[in-house]
Structure formats: structure tokens, C-alpha cells
Amino acid sequence: MSVKTNKYKQFDSIEIKESLFKKFDLPDHFHDTYCIGLLSSGIKTSIVEETPQIIHSNSVSIINPYQIHSDKNIDQEDCHYRMIYVNKEVVDFLAHKITGKKENNLLFTNDLITDPRVSTAVLNFFSDMYDESLLHHKLENLVELLVSNAIDEKRITVHPESKNAIDDSIEKARLNFLEKIDIEKMAKEVQLSKFQFIRYFKKKTGITPASYILIHRINFAKSLLDQDIPIVQVALESGFYDHAQFCKFFKYYTNITPSDYKRNCNIVQA
């Protein structure tokens, strides 16, 4: 498996990633960004919020922030996958600029997009990758195509802001993922038993509280690996017990080791 990642300081740290793999199996996980993916060759399966989907060549898919999904290739043929990770605030800002409507928490459906204009817009991010002056134009063009496409086909909604006790627990876990996991304490705070809490939490997020916190730690570790910090220190600062535990879970959720991720990640300074 080969993975190359570029991270840009512009627009709240846009990340683009190119992967080539024969064997690929990622468990349930999430990102705090919109994930816009183009499969250039091969075929793979994704399960998004328990709904299976076949991803075929030359199709674009969108995963919303915090949406639980897993990915797996179907055969041993080469799969060439390109991903763009864009923060929610950036998409909200550009969508407002494009539509004139100030709407937050836009949710795209997970239907595959086969419009060649969208595929071309994604591919444009992987040409002239070190010319930051083109980044704004590429991003605005892509978001405009995605939003316009979604509006035309009624594939976009605005997520309601209503919250309950479990939502508050999820938010607290998100903000305090570096602290020691105490599921019983979290359950008591919302006046539920431990098993009731886990069940309701999983129903709301798609994963258990422990997995939710663990994935946040992995995502945080990625941001530290971009810096000149020893991997052992990254493990401890990300809330892991030791280097071995960190490497085990990092590879489980990313399919590559922390050292390989660090080696193949490039920071493009604005």
C-alpha cells in the first residue's frame, strides 16, 4: 500500500491524499472534515452508517463530518484513490458565498457522483500541488460544483441543531478525548446505567464511546506526526499508554504505521 499526503496551511489546513493499494480494510471510523473521494481505478465497498455501497471507478463520494464509515477493497486489483479533506467551516463559508444563503451543518447524501466535471475538479488538486496560489480557485470550483449538483438533485440537507443529554456527552467526549476514559462516570452524568449509556451512544454515533474517543486520539496523533516530534512522544501526548499501544491502534485504523504516515506526509506552507 502506498500513501502520499499533502497538508496546506491555507483554509484551515486542507489535506489531500493519494493512495494506491491492493489490500485495504479500514474499520468503522470518522473524520471531523468533509471527505471528498475519487476512485480513479479499481472497485471497493464502503459502509456508511450501516448502509453498504459499491464504489466504482471514476465516481466521487462525499462523507460528512463525524459520519461513521468503513472501507474495503473487493479484489486484489490495484485501487487508486484520491481524497480531499475540507473543514466544515470552510465549506459553510464557500456554500454561503455561492448560494447567498447562510446555512450551517450542510449534509450531503452518500450517493455516488458520476458528473465528469466533479471528477475533473477533484483531479485538479493533484496537479500543480505545490502552487498554493491555485488552491483557492480549485476549492471554490469544487464546492460550487458539489453544492450545485446536490441542490439540483435534492441531495443536500441542513442538520437540525436540537440536542439531548447523549449529544452533550458526545460533545464532551469530543472536547476531552485526551483524558482517561471513564464510561461509568459518563453514564452517571446522564443518569443512565453503563450499558444503557453505551447502547444510546452507539445508536447516536454508530460506535461505542471508547471507539469514539480512540478515533479522536488517532486523528489528533496525525496532526502531531506532521510536526518534528518523536513518535514515542506523539503516542503519549495523544493519550496512549505507550508506543506499542499507539502503533497497534494507529495501524488498525489507518492500515499504515505511524512512521510510514510521517514519512509520506508533506506540509505545504502558505
Side-chain angles (χ1 to χ4, degrees):
M1 180 176 178
S2 172
V3 180
K4 293 182 180 179
T5 303
N6 271 21
K7 292 190 177 183
Y8 300 82
K9 293 298 184 181
Q10 291 191 58
F11 297 106
D12 209 9
S13 298
I14 295 174
E15 179 180 340
I16 66 174
K17 181 169 68 177
E18 186 169 9
S19 304
L20 182 65
F21 54 86
K22 290 181 180 291
K23 185 178 181 181
F24 186 70
D25 190 0
L26 287 179
D28 283 343
H29 64 289
F30 61 81
H31 303 271
D32 58 2
T33 62
Y34 287 96
C35 308
I36 305 162
L38 168 65
L39 187 63
S40 298
S41 63
I43 184 170
K44 73 183 188 75
T45 61
S46 286
I47 299 177
V48 183
E49 294 183 341
E50 300 184 347
T51 301
Q53 183 180 56
I54 301 294
I55 310 293
H56 54 77
S57 299
N58 300 316
S59 61
V60 174
S61 59
I62 305 176
I63 304 295
N64 297 295
Y66 299 105
Q67 197 166 37
I68 300 297
H69 60 287
S70 61
D71 299 282
K72 186 176 183 179
N73 63 311
I74 291 179
D75 50 35
Q76 296 298 310
E77 298 298 321
D78 285 341
C79 280
H80 191 185
Y81 206 55
R82 293 178 171 93
M83 291 293 300
I84 302 170
Y85 301 91
V86 188
N87 284 336
K88 185 183 80 66
E89 290 76 12
V90 174
V91 173
D92 287 344
F93 170 78
L94 292 176
H96 177 215
K97 182 178 179 181
I98 293 162
T99 66
K101 298 179 180 180
K102 191 171 184 179
E103 296 176 330
N104 296 328
N105 300 315
L106 294 177
L107 292 182
F108 295 88
T109 66
N110 303 119
D111 301 322
L112 295 183
I113 302 170
T114 56
D115 186 337
R117 296 176 302 166
V118 178
S119 300
T120 300
V122 172
L123 287 172
N124 284 340
F125 279 82
F126 296 84
S127 61
D128 300 316
M129 294 173 63
Y130 298 100
D131 190 344
E132 305 98 275
S133 64
L134 299 175
L135 191 61
H136 182 278
H137 174 72
K138 292 177 182 179
L139 183 60
E140 190 164 315
N141 180 51
L142 177 60
V143 173
E144 181 175 5
L145 283 170
L146 291 175
V147 172
S148 300
N149 184 292
I151 291 174
D152 291 343
E153 299 183 15
K154 297 181 179 179
R155 298 193 307 103
I156 193 169
T157 61
V158 180
H159 192 273
E161 290 287 353
S162 58
K163 289 186 176 183
N164 56 32
I166 294 297
D167 290 307
D168 291 338
S169 295
I170 294 169
E171 179 71 4
K172 188 173 181 179
R174 184 180 70 83
L175 296 174
N176 301 283
F177 62 87
L178 293 177
E179 296 181 5
K180 184 179 178 180
I181 302 173
D182 191 337
I183 305 301
E184 290 188 1
K185 181 180 178 182
M186 294 172 70
K188 286 180 181 179
E189 289 175 350
V190 293
Q191 299 180 342
L192 292 172
S193 71
K194 176 180 177 181
F195 299 105
Q196 285 177 318
F197 177 74
I198 292 173
R199 184 168 70 251
Y200 286 128
F201 193 102
K202 187 173 182 180
K203 183 178 180 180
K204 189 76 175 181
T205 66
I207 52 178
T208 65
S211 295
Y212 184 84
I213 291 170
L214 188 58
I215 294 169
H216 271 297
R217 290 178 178 179
I218 294 294
N219 290 338
F220 178 69
K222 289 179 182 179
S223 67
L224 296 182
L225 288 170
D226 300 338
Q227 307 170 36
D228 189 21
I229 301 175
I231 293 177
V232 173
Q233 185 178 340
V234 169
L236 298 177
E237 291 189 15
S238 301
F240 291 93
Y241 179 73
D242 57 19
H243 177 265
Q245 185 197 43
F246 170 57
C247 291
K248 173 186 174 181
F249 284 115
F250 191 93
K251 187 170 184 180
Y252 176 72
Y253 281 107
T254 67
N255 276 194
I256 59 174
T257 65
S259 56
D260 284 339
Y261 179 88
K262 186 179 181 71
R263 187 181 306 114
N264 291 289
C265 188
N266 178 59
I267 303 298
V268 181
Q269 298 288 350

